[in-house]
Amino acid sequence: MTLNPTVLDVLPADLDVQRLPKHVAVIMDGNGRWAQRQGLPRFMGHRRGVDTLKQLLRCCKDWGIEALTAYAFSTENWGRPMAEVEFLMTLFERVLRRELQEMVDEGVQIHFVGDLQALPNSLQEEINRAMVATQHNTKIKFVVATNYGGRREILQACRAIAHKVQQGELAPEAIDEGVFEHHLYTAGISHPDLLIRTSGEMRVSNFLLWQVAYAEIYVTDILWPDFNRAAFHLALHDYQKRHRRFGKVEPEG
Ligand code: FPP
């Protein structure tokens, strides 16, 4: 039985379905500040941040967006207090275990991108389980950047390509953008059209450095745990007002 869609399920009338971003990427910033403002410990902000991410994934799926990438943990985040790092690793693992069946049922295809081998073994096992279980799903791609750094991603691609050249498997002249992209963690995933950062910081913070070359950037002062459907609606509305020229000029007329 399919239930009637609620008002929230359908794309708001002021958004043009033809001009939606195919891929949205989010820098989920402000969890710690959100918690501090409520007089709560920082980890409560991360917990609440998971709920926000889940709602955003559902919203993207409901509104016909093909891919959502979330920056969950950067290569620099290891520099946080040990207790916070351990909390986050355990949180990722618990959330994956808890949400996997629902993601399978809802047609979510989950990917993890980053230097995954440095993650705790038990988390790597959950990640592998989730990627295998959802690999044939087609409703939406959900990409979680974990122990991710754009510079590290580019370096490892260079190293892999150099190795192939050294082995005689690849000619230097054959290295083009397509070959390079094939060696990124995100091989096979489209580039984000819209990059959203919460909490007001105007930085890219080593996120998808290659892939956001022509993404529209939207920064909001809202802290991540408060980034709800209405806030996402505003971001999409703003995106639809932009003229994406990809370095070209608009035809006159
Ligand atoms: C940034 O806020 C947030 C993070 C470093 C962690 C984000 C992770 C989640 C929301 C969990 C996602 C879970 C899964 C399974 C994908 P901050 O701590 O830097 O906030 P602050 O700038 O206010 O200190």
Side-chain angles (χ1 to χ4, degrees):
M1 183 182 74
T2 33
L3 298 172
N4 284 333
T6 66
V7 174
L8 290 177
D9 292 341
V10 294
L11 187 70
D14 61 346
L15 293 178
D16 177 353
V17 69
Q18 306 295 338
R19 296 183 60 241
L20 283 174
K22 288 188 166 43
H23 184 169
V24 174
V26 281
I27 301 179
M28 310 181 286
D29 201 8
N31 290 347
R33 275 164 285 170
W34 180 89
Q36 277 156 1
R37 281 183 199 173
Q38 324 271 327
L40 297 168
R42 286 178 59 83
F43 75 86
M44 290 297 286
H46 296 315
R47 233 184 231 167
R48 184 61 86 91
V50 172
D51 299 337
T52 303
L53 183 57
K54 190 174 170 188
Q55 282 166 28
L56 180 63
L57 178 61
R58 186 174 292 280
C59 184
C60 286
K61 185 179 156 253
D62 288 346
W63 291 357
I65 290 167
E66 293 170 16
L68 172 68
T69 294
Y71 203 4
F73 194 87
S74 75
T75 46
E76 290 72 36
N77 285 155
W78 295 107
R80 292 185 174 216
M82 180 74 87
E84 183 166 342
V85 170
E86 281 176 3
F87 176 83
L88 283 168
M89 294 298 146
T90 310
L91 180 71
F92 298 152
E93 201 175 315
R94 280 209 341 257
V95 169
L96 264 182
R97 205 174 299 131
R98 190 182 72 206
E99 303 292 335
L100 181 58
Q101 191 53 50
E102 197 173 333
M103 287 196 283
V104 170
D105 295 344
E106 299 239 359
V108 177
Q109 186 186 91
I110 188 160
H111 296 259
F112 277 78
V113 293
D115 185 358
L116 305 180
Q117 284 169 5
L119 297 172
N121 285 337
S122 51
L123 176 56
Q124 287 186 50
E125 282 166 22
E126 287 305 329
I127 286 174
N128 288 335
R129 199 194 321 273
M131 290 205 288
V132 169
T134 63
Q135 64 186 325
H136 299 301
N137 284 352
T138 55
K139 284 271 193 305
I140 186 167
K141 278 190 177 140
F142 177 41
V143 185
V144 186
T146 313
N147 195 22
Y148 175 88
R151 289 181 177 173
R152 189 177 294 184
E153 176 181 40
I154 288 170
L155 276 179
Q156 70 77 35
C158 291
R159 221 175 275 134
I161 290 170
H163 188 69
K164 286 187 181 167
V165 171
Q166 191 183 43
Q167 299 296 307
E169 294 168 24
L170 189 64
E173 327 47 85
I175 304 167
D176 58 12
E177 290 188 8
V179 168
F180 191 75
E181 292 199 354
H182 182 73
H183 291 83
L184 294 174
Y185 301 136
T186 54
I189 299 168
S190 68
H191 297 165
D193 303 293
L194 171 62
L195 171 64
I196 297 173
R197 181 166 189 151
T198 54
S199 94
E201 311 287 353
M202 305 271 187
R203 286 189 291 274
V204 174
S205 296
N206 205 11
F207 188 41
L208 301 175
L209 294 182
W210 171 280
Q211 298 87 340
V212 297
Y214 280 100
E216 295 297 324
I217 299 179
Y218 178 84
V219 176
T220 171
D221 286 336
I222 295 173
L223 304 178
W224 177 252
D226 290 330
F227 189 78
N228 57 17
R229 265 182 199 237
F232 186 47
H233 177 183
L234 276 182
L236 293 177
H237 197 262
D238 190 88
Y239 172 83
Q240 295 202 331
K241 286 192 300 200
R242 314 263 183 107
H243 295 284
R244 303 189 74 199
R245 295 190 301 272
F246 300 96
K248 304 184 180 85
V249 286
E250 305 228 303
E252 286 178 42

